Amino acid sequence: MKTRIFSLAGIAVLLALCIAAPQMLDAYSLGVALQLLSWIALTQSWVTFSGLTGYVSLGHAVFYGLGAYVMALLWQSAPLWEILLGSGFAGALLALVIGYPALRVSGPYFVILTLGLSEFFKYIVIAVEAGLESSGRLIFGAPDPETLYYIMLLLAVVATLLTWGLARSRWGAGLRAIREDETAAETLGVPVTFLKIAAFVISAFIPGVVGAVWVLRTTYFEPMQLFSPTTSFTIVTMAIIGGSDRAPGPIFGAAFIVLLSELLWARAPHVYLVILGVLLVSFVLFVPKGISGQLAWLMRRRRA
Amino acid sequence: MSFLRVENLTRRFGGIVALHDVSFSMEKGEILGLMGANGAGKTTLFSLIAGNLPPSSGHILLEDEKIDGRGPHRVNRLGVARTFQIVRPFATMSVLDNVMVGALYGRSRTLSQPKAREKCRAILDEVGLADRADLPAAALTLAGRKRLEVARALATEPRLLLLDEVLAGLNASEANDALDLIRHLRDSRMLSIIVIEHVMKALMRLSHRILVLHDGRKIMEGAPAEVANDPRVIKAYLGETRDA
Ligand SMILES: Nc1ncnc2c1ncn2[C@@H]1O[C@H](COP(=O)(O)OP(=O)(O)OP(=O)(O)O)[C@@H](O)[C@H]1O
Ligand SMILES: [Mg+2]
């Protein structure tokens, strides 16, 4: 009960700080905060599918890139919020189309397939853009950083609530059962195909919107960059380091990596990548439940 | 009308015929024993009835409704639950959460989590796992995991329960308790139960009727006393060495 009050108070303070941030931060720091929020939203969405089902998607960049593309194509031809929703639905729709065939395989095959499909889609977009004789699209008159910040904050909060709610729901129980043993799950009545596809579609919506907001921030759509597999890799790294079975995980993971990259990226980019690799391997081997899982365990032990 | 009717069921794996033209039927509330040496096709029969495998040919009818080829989750919702001989716990989930999956999804479809939790605690109590409800399933012994298989299956509220060697690895007094439990389950829920068991004596005492498989074929079906004295059964059984 006491810990519950503490964590609720903690969340309230954190949220208040996030809301006040644009008034307190300079332009550079606000940019970092925006980045942090976008990673939280992306990683949180990934966890609602991959964290719970154990089907590791290395293709979430495709939903992000598609959202950005939709925004780049439609900007100023419809109200902002309509395009944002459209970007989300585009991501979800693509997940539905990819999900049905892709979710028939599992384990390493699924990982490779999602990566392959996402790369494939990237080159389709590049080909289409070349066909339209467009080499990159500039976006004029994008909203100011503060507005984008608040949209991203909303996305991060919604994504977090979604993971939190899903993880403790009936669907969450079914998805975890699929992760642990798919055959046993379906034998107990879990509609595994439906649940997997539903979770995949849900987890693609917010990345679509995040991509749309991000392209407004950079004001330039360039497929190689927005569909870059690095985005997918970073999401997975954050989820593994933070913990992928509960909502606090992605927040810890994203904060940790963004901080690390702020400290090291500019000064020692090579060291940064080495450290990232070492961390990733160490967490997989020694802290499989990530920072959040480790903290939960420590708290349980202190109480016991 | 029989409760369960199996008609000319055949299942091949490549060149192997694991089950060959097997037919039988059973009534509501009946306990049917399933006997046969290693590789006789017993587990395969369960996988076909529960929908984990499609038959190569033949049909399975539950109260005259065809259930073959429907897929396991639909078959479960119609009221068929099985346990796995090679146990398949959801290892990192707690024992209670394992059972919850059955209650939330199976035929019972208890959508409210507090209700499902209450129900599952009662079932864990019935099978003797109440004191281990909050442990991760991975922490259970093999005997514990077998009980967990039974608890999960029960949580789905089946009408037909398929028990695949749930007594294996139990000592004599534990096995006795388990037999009492199976009888109690049948009486309290009017369950029909098919039991696979290598311990002949236990199966004789428990079953109303026994069906014997050998090399995928049904070689005999009848009352326990008849089966025990049948020369074909004796030959099929004593002709092979068993670990039991
Ligand atoms: N998935 C499978 N693929 C190939 N062959 C299989 C498969 N499942 C079972 N078999 C074969 O089918 C036959 C029947 O196997 P089954 O597991 O049904 O026997 P069983 O009666 O349950 O034996 P046991 O007493 O050892 O559990 C065996 O020859 C087995 O090797
Ligand atoms: Mg078997």
Side-chain angles (χ1 to χ4, degrees), chain A residues 69-278:
Chain A
Y69 192 38
V70 168
M71 178 59 82
L73 289 175
L74 298 182
W75 174 242
Q76 282 181 337
S77 67
L80 175 64
W81 68 269
E82 276 182 21
I83 311 178
L84 288 176
L85 281 179
S87 298
F89 281 114
L93 189 68
L94 182 64
L96 188 65
V97 174
I98 295 179
Y100 197 72
L103 285 164
R104 292 170 164 266
V105 298
S106 57
Y109 303 103
F110 181 79
V111 180
I112 301 297
L113 194 61
T114 50
L115 179 60
L117 284 172
S118 125
E119 285 292 279
F120 176 64
F121 198 83
K122 172 171 86 183
Y123 287 106
I124 292 182
V125 171
I126 289 172
V128 169
E129 286 293 277
L132 296 172
E133 294 185 352
S134 141
S135 52
R137 290 169 185 272
L138 275 170
I139 288 175
F140 298 102
D144 59 278
E146 214 181 294
T147 309
L148 296 180
Y149 173 87
Y150 284 117
I151 298 175
M152 204 64 100
L153 178 60
L154 181 68
L155 289 172
V157 169
V158 170
T160 303
L161 287 177
L162 200 66
T163 305
W164 181 79
L166 200 66
R168 47 180 50 218
S169 71
R170 172 169 172 265
W171 276 25
L175 293 168
R176 285 203 183 93
I178 290 172
R179 177 182 75 198
E180 301 290 310
D181 190 323
E182 201 160 327
T183 302
E186 62 181 350
T187 305
L188 292 170
V190 179
V192 297
T193 309
F194 168 78
L195 267 192
K196 282 189 296 188
I197 293 179
F200 195 52
V201 168
I202 290 173
S203 90
F205 185 91
I206 287 178
V209 188
V210 173
V213 177
W214 201 253
V215 80
L216 291 178
R217 159 82 181 161
T218 59
T219 66
Y220 184 63
F221 175 80
E222 204 284 300
M224 277 313 244
Q225 207 182 347
L226 281 154
F227 284 92
S228 164
T230 309
T231 307
S232 300
F233 296 140
T234 307
I235 292 173
V236 177
T237 307
M238 287 173 170
I240 287 174
I241 288 182
S244 58
D245 191 57
R246 58 187 85 224
I251 299 177
F252 286 121
F256 187 84
I257 300 286
V258 168
L259 203 68
L260 192 72
S261 92
E262 277 308 304
L263 290 177
L264 290 178
W265 182 244
R267 270 166 267 171
H270 297 295
V271 180
Y272 169 71
L273 286 178
V274 171
I275 291 182
L276 202 60
V278 170

Side-chain angles (χ1 to χ4, degrees), chain A residues 1-2 9 35-36 66 73 79 88 92 95 97 99 104 108 113 145 171 173 178 210 240 248 254 284 293 297-298 303:
Chain A
M1 197 59 221
K2 219 161 150 192
Q35 210 165 39
L36 174 62
L66 179 63
L73 289 175
V97 174
R104 292 170 164 266
L113 194 61
W171 276 25
I178 290 172
V210 173
I240 287 174
V284 168
W297 182 78
L298 282 176
R303 235 179 299 155

